[in-house]
Amino acid sequence: MSKLMKPVAFAIILVLLFYGFLISQGLPQKWTLWSNDHDVYYAAKKSKAYADDDADIFRISPYGNKALWLRGENEPHFRVEWSREDFTPQFSPDEANSARVTDPSSAKTITADLRKLIEHQLEELYHAGIQSDLQPEGPFYVRVVKVDENDETLDIPNAVSNVIQINVRTPHPPIVMVVPFVALLLCIAFLPLIPATAHWWESNTHRFIVAGSLGFLTLLYYFLLCDFPVEQHWPVHGIVDPTTDGNFMAASTVFLNAILYEFLPFIVLLFSLFVIAGGIRIAGNLRATPFVNSVILLIGGLLASFIGTTGAAVLLIRLLLETNKERKFKVHTVVFFIFIVCNCGGCLTPLGDPPLFLGYLRGVPFEWTFFLWAEWMFVNLSLIAMFFLWDKFWYYRRESAESKQEDDENVTSISITGWMLNIPLLLGVVAAVAFLDPSRPVPGTDWHPWFYLREAVQLGLAATSLLFSSYLIRKANSFNFLAIGEVAALFFGIFLCMQAPLQILGEHGKTVVTKAEQTTGVSKEQLFFWSTGLLSAVLDNAPTYVVFFDTARTLTPNTETELEAQMAYDYKTGEPIIDPETGEQMRKWHKDARGVWRCQDGVRKLVPLAGGTRGFIEHALLIAVSLGAVFCGALTYIGNGPNFMIKAIAEQDGVKMPSFFGYMCYSLVLLLPLLILMTLIFLPLFP
C-alpha cells in the first residue's frame, strides 16, 4: 500500500496537467458551450438540399402545440410538413407537424438528399422526446411547402411538392443484445463459487478481462450490425446515424456515452470519497452489543444523505469491523450496513445517492428530496429495529462467553484522527458535486463550469489527501486500492454492457408500464416503483433511474398547452372549472401550477423541472422512481456502487461475506417484505 500511494497521487497530478493542457486549448470550454448553448442542440449534416453550405447548424424549438421549426441562419423559405395520414395540398400546418428548411433554390420536388434530411430530423425529434406522439413504427407522409417570411403558404403554381412516404427506423437493438449483460451478471454470481475459477476470479485484472471482453462484444454489435440512430450524450446531445456517419461512429458514440459520460464521473466520485475517507480513522473498539451496532447503523444512515452513501460507508465500515472483530457472528451486521448506509440512508438529499443526483441534474428542485423523510424514517428505522431484535435475541445469545469476555476486555474509547485535513477535503468533494455541474451555472453567477472541472477538482482533492495524509492512519485502516479497483474493473464492463438493455427499456418502458396498468389495474406509482426498483437491483440504480425518470416525464404534461387540456379543475378543491356563460368545463391553465407539488391537498401534484429539461413531472411518479432506485439498489451487490466496495473491504478484514446469491437471500427475506409494506403504506395500490 505504501508503495502505491505516492505513485497514484503523481498519476493523478499527470492527469490534472493533461486536463490543464486541454483547458489551454479551449476544449473543455467549447464542450461546455456546445452542450449548454441550446436546450436541444443538433448538428444537421451538410446536404445538397441546402443552397448555403455554411448553414449546417440548426436548432429545434417548440412551435405551437404540435409543430416544430427547423431554423437555419438565414430566413427559411420552405416548410416541411409531415403527418401519419396522407394529405392534400390544402392540409393545414396546424394539424400536422412541420419544420422549416433553408433552400432558396428549389422545392418543387423532394430530392433524395432532402428526403434523407427529413428522415434524419424525424428520428432526431423522436430521440429527443420532443414529439410525445412521434413513434417510429409505420409510415409518415411528407411534403415541402413554399412560404413567405410570415410563414404563409404562397399561392403560386408548384408551391407544394409531391407527397412522399417515409419510414422512421426503430431506434433500439434486438432483445438478444441483453445476453452480454446477463452473462456478466452470471460471471459475477457464479465464478467466485466454482472451485476451478474462485481463485482466478480474485484478481482484479481477471475481473477486468471478463467485464471488458463482454463490453467489447456489445461494441462489436454496434460496429458491425447497428442500423438505427444512436443518441449521443457526450460532448453534446445529438444523433449519430450509422447509415450516414458509419458504424464506427455509432460504436464510438456508445463507448463515449458509457465511459466518458457515465462511468468516468461515477468512478471518479467513488474513488475520491474512498481515498479521502480512507485518510480518516475513527478508532475505537466498542462493546459489540446490539445497541452499539444499531447506533452505528443509525449514524451511518443519517450521514449517507449529506456526505453520500460512499463517503458514509467508507468512513464507518472500519469502526464497525473493529468493534465486532471479537464476535463470531458478524456477517449479518455488515449486510445491514449495506442495506442502510450504502443505500436506504441516502434518499434525503441529491448528494446522498447517485440516482437522486442525476435527478437534480435533470431539473428536480434540490429541496424536493426532503419530501421523502417519512419513507426514509419508516424504512431505515424499521431495518435498525429488525437488526436490533435479530441480533439481541438470536446472534448475540449464541456468542460464546469467551468472545463476550474478550470483547469486554478490549474496549477502547473512540478517537478520530486525520479529520483536520480530510474532513475539509470531503466537504470539498460534496461542494464540487453540488456546484460544479457543467449544465448549471454556479449559484449567483451565469458561468457554467467547464466539462470535467468537477472531476478534476475531486481528483485534486484525492491527490492532496494521498500526499499529505498520515501513512500510519491509512496503515491502521488497512487502506489499499483493491476494493475500488474491483468496482472499477467490474463497472467498466457493466456500463458498456447495459447500453443495449437501457436502449430497449427506454424505447418500450412507457408502453410496458401503460399496458401493465391497463392489464393489472395497479396504480402507476406501484408500477414505477417496482419497475425501477427491480431493474435497479441488476442494472445499477443510477442509469435505471434516468430511464424511468424520462418515462415518467413523458407521461406528464410538459407544456402549458398540455396543462390546459389536463388541468380543467381547481387543484385545491378538485372541482371542475365551469365556464359561467356556457356551463361547460373550462380548460384553464393555472399560473401557479409550477407550485402544485407544494400543496398537500392538491389533487394533481406536479414538480417543475429546471435547466435544459424543463416541463413537469408528476410528484407521485417522481417519488416512486426515486424510492425504487435508492431502496432497491440494496437488493444485490451490483445495485449500487458502494455495495461491492464494502463487501471487498469486509472480506479483506476476514469477514466471509455471502456470495452474490447468498446476499440476495438476505435481501429477499429481510428487505423485500419491508419494501412491499412501505409501498402499501406510502404509494396507492390502485389508481
Side-chain angles (χ1 to χ4, degrees):
M1 184 271 295
S2 60
K3 295 181 180 180
L4 283 178
M5 284 177 54
K6 288 188 176 180
V8 170
F10 286 120
I12 294 174
I13 292 173
L14 291 177
V15 171
L16 296 180
L17 290 175
F18 177 70
Y19 180 71
F21 170 76
L22 294 179
I23 291 178
S24 69
Q25 301 301 306
L27 291 179
Q29 298 93 312
K30 291 179 181 178
W31 297 336
T32 308
L33 178 64
W34 293 343
S35 179
N36 295 295
D37 191 23
H38 314 295
D39 289 344
V40 181
Y41 180 94
Y42 292 111
K45 299 299 177 183
K46 291 183 179 180
S47 170
K48 294 179 181 178
Y50 300 98
D52 183 3
D53 286 342
D54 293 330
D56 62 341
I57 302 299
F58 290 84
R59 306 175 187 180
I60 300 172
S61 57
Y63 175 62
N65 183 25
K66 298 176 65 177
L68 291 162
W69 294 36
L70 184 62
R71 298 183 180 275
E73 295 180 357
N74 303 319
E75 182 63 31
H77 295 270
F78 293 91
R79 182 177 62 238
V80 178
E81 298 178 357
W82 62 88
S83 174
R84 278 292 188 188
E85 303 296 331
D86 196 356
F87 51 84
T88 66
Q90 286 74 37
F91 193 89
S92 169
D94 292 333
E95 299 173 358
N97 294 309
S98 66
R100 283 184 167 190
V101 298
T102 302
D103 182 10
S105 59
S106 66
K108 295 181 180 180
T109 61
I110 297 180
T111 65
D113 291 317
L114 185 55
R115 179 190 181 109
K116 290 181 180 178
L117 173 69
I118 295 169
E119 291 177 338
H120 186 69
Q121 293 301 328
L122 286 176
E123 288 169 347
E124 287 185 344
L125 297 178
Y126 176 76
H127 273 282
I130 299 175
Q131 289 296 102
S132 59
D133 60 344
L134 182 59
Q135 298 295 328
E137 294 79 9
F140 286 88
Y141 296 92
V142 178
R143 68 177 182 176
V144 177
V145 183
K146 192 171 185 178
V147 298
D148 62 14
E149 61 181 7
N150 296 318
D151 194 37
E152 297 294 335
T153 302
L154 298 179
D155 188 18
I156 59 176
N158 299 322
V160 180
S161 74
N162 58 316
V163 177
I164 64 169
Q165 177 179 323
I166 66 172
N167 290 280
V168 180
R169 292 160 291 176
T170 302
H172 66 78
I175 191 67
V176 71
M177 284 311 299
V178 304
V179 171
F181 181 75
V182 173
L184 181 53
L185 294 186
L186 293 176
C187 289
I188 294 172
F190 287 107
L191 290 185
L193 304 179
I194 302 174
T197 59
H199 179 69
W200 182 86
W201 182 251
E202 293 175 357
S203 168
N204 285 338
T205 301
H206 297 156
R207 294 187 179 109
F208 179 77
I209 290 173
V210 173
S213 299
L214 292 170
F216 176 76
L217 288 179
T218 300
L219 294 177
L220 196 62
Y221 162 79
Y222 287 95
F223 180 69
L224 297 177
L225 300 175
C226 178
D227 61 353
F228 58 88
V230 176
E231 188 174 4
Q232 173 184 316
H233 299 299
W234 189 94
V236 295
H237 201 176
I239 300 295
V240 174
D241 190 342
T243 61
T244 57
D245 303 313
N247 282 79
F248 176 79
M249 286 299 297
S252 61
T253 297
V254 171
F255 179 83
L256 294 177
N257 287 345
I259 303 305
L260 294 187
Y261 183 72
E262 296 176 351
F263 173 76
L264 186 60
F266 168 83
I267 200 63
V268 166
L269 177 61
L270 289 184
F271 175 81
S272 302
L273 293 173
F274 176 79
V275 167
I276 296 172
I280 304 172
R281 177 163 177 77
I282 303 179
N285 189 347
L286 307 177
R287 292 187 66 237
T289 63
F291 177 77
V292 170
N293 283 327
S294 298
V295 171
I296 295 175
L297 294 177
L298 177 61
I299 294 173
L302 288 170
L303 287 176
S305 285
F306 299 96
I307 64 172
T309 52
T310 301
V314 174
L315 195 63
L316 292 175
I317 183 59
R318 292 181 177 89
L319 173 64
L320 186 80
L321 294 174
E322 190 168 345
T323 295
N324 289 272
K325 68 179 181 180
E326 293 87 7
R327 287 191 55 172
K328 176 182 179 182
F329 302 103
K330 49 194 171 185
V331 171
H332 69 292
T333 306
V334 180
V335 169
F336 273 91
F337 187 89
I338 294 176
F339 287 169
I340 298 169
V341 184
C342 296
N343 293 275
C344 299
C347 74
L348 289 181
T349 74
L351 304 177
D353 215 35
L356 300 183
F357 179 67
L358 292 178
Y360 171 65
L361 297 184
R362 280 159 174 76
V364 177
F366 185 91
E367 70 275 16
W368 179 86
T369 48
F370 286 111
F371 276 84
L372 305 178
W373 66 268
E375 293 88 343
W376 183 95
M377 289 188 64
F378 177 81
V379 171
N380 286 284
L381 295 183
S382 297
L383 284 172
I384 292 172
M386 192 183 303
F387 166 80
F388 177 81
L389 295 174
W390 194 18
D391 194 36
K392 180 177 180 62
F393 295 107
W394 181 253
Y395 283 117
Y396 197 67
R397 288 185 174 181
R398 297 174 63 195
E399 295 285 350
S400 65
E402 292 78 8
S403 296
K404 293 180 180 179
Q405 182 179 355
E406 185 181 359
D407 183 39
D408 292 337
E409 292 173 352
N410 292 329
V411 170
T412 60
S413 60
I414 292 181
S415 63
I416 305 176
T417 54
W419 65 270
M420 294 186 66
L421 171 66
N422 288 288
I423 288 295
L425 295 179
L426 198 62
L427 295 177
V429 172
V430 174
V433 170
F435 302 120
L436 295 183
D437 172 27
S439 66
R440 292 172 178 263
V442 173
T445 73
D446 58 358
W447 178 69
H448 286 259
W450 303 323
F451 260 48
Y452 293 131
L453 180 61
R454 176 180 59 201
E455 285 70 33
V457 170
Q458 292 171 12
L459 288 176
L461 295 172
T464 302
S465 179
L466 286 174
L467 288 173
F468 298 105
S469 290
S470 169
Y471 162 73
L472 295 178
I473 291 177
R474 292 191 184 274
K475 183 178 180 180
N477 279 338
S478 301
F479 178 85
N480 58 60
F481 296 103
L482 293 177
I484 192 65
E486 179 177 350
V487 174
L490 291 176
F491 276 85
F492 180 87
I494 287 174
F495 274 94
L496 283 173
C497 291
M498 71 185 180
Q499 295 303 306
L502 285 176
Q503 287 178 0
I504 297 171
L505 183 62
E507 183 64 28
H508 297 292
K510 177 181 177 180
T511 302
V512 170
V513 170
T514 302
K515 289 184 177 179
E517 184 183 16
Q518 295 172 349
T519 303
T520 64
V522 176
S523 69
K524 287 197 299 288
E525 291 83 355
Q526 289 279 345
L527 292 173
F528 268 88
F529 175 87
W530 289 110
S531 299
T532 306
L534 295 179
L535 287 169
S536 290
V538 295
L539 283 174
D540 185 70
N541 57 4
T544 306
Y545 171 93
V546 172
V547 169
F548 282 96
F549 176 90
D550 289 336
T551 302
R553 189 165 56 86
T554 62
L555 295 175
T556 306
N558 284 309
T559 66
E560 295 183 8
T561 305
E562 290 176 305
L563 282 170
E564 288 176 355
Q566 298 195 27
M567 295 192 66
Y569 48 77
D570 189 300
Y571 72 90
K572 290 184 178 179
T573 65
E575 296 296 327
I577 300 173
I578 306 299
D579 189 328
E581 296 182 1
T582 64
E584 297 179 354
Q585 183 175 354
M586 293 178 62
R587 297 189 179 277
K588 178 183 177 183
W589 181 75
H590 297 280
K591 292 182 179 179
D592 54 356
R594 292 179 179 272
V596 170
W597 65 281
R598 299 180 184 276
C599 303
Q600 297 303 311
D601 58 347
V603 176
R604 184 186 185 89
K605 301 177 184 177
L606 302 177
V607 180
L609 301 177
T613 305
R614 297 190 178 179
F616 304 89
I617 187 170
E618 285 196 37
H619 179 66
L621 294 186
L622 185 56
I623 288 176
V625 172
S626 301
L627 294 179
V630 174
F631 290 165
C632 294
L635 290 176
T636 70
Y637 279 136
I638 66 170
N640 201 11
N643 300 2
F644 245 126
M645 189 183 303
I646 295 306
K647 171 183 178 292
I649 292 174
E651 288 177 337
Q652 292 172 22
D653 200 64
V655 179
K656 188 173 178 57
M657 292 296 292
S659 65
F660 184 88
F661 290 113
Y663 174 85
M664 285 188 64
C665 290
Y666 279 94
S667 65
L668 295 179
V669 172
L670 300 173
L671 182 59
L672 187 60
L674 180 62
L675 296 182
I676 293 173
L677 181 60
M678 186 272 296
T679 62
L680 295 176
I681 295 174
F682 294 99
L683 298 177
L685 183 59
F686 302 107

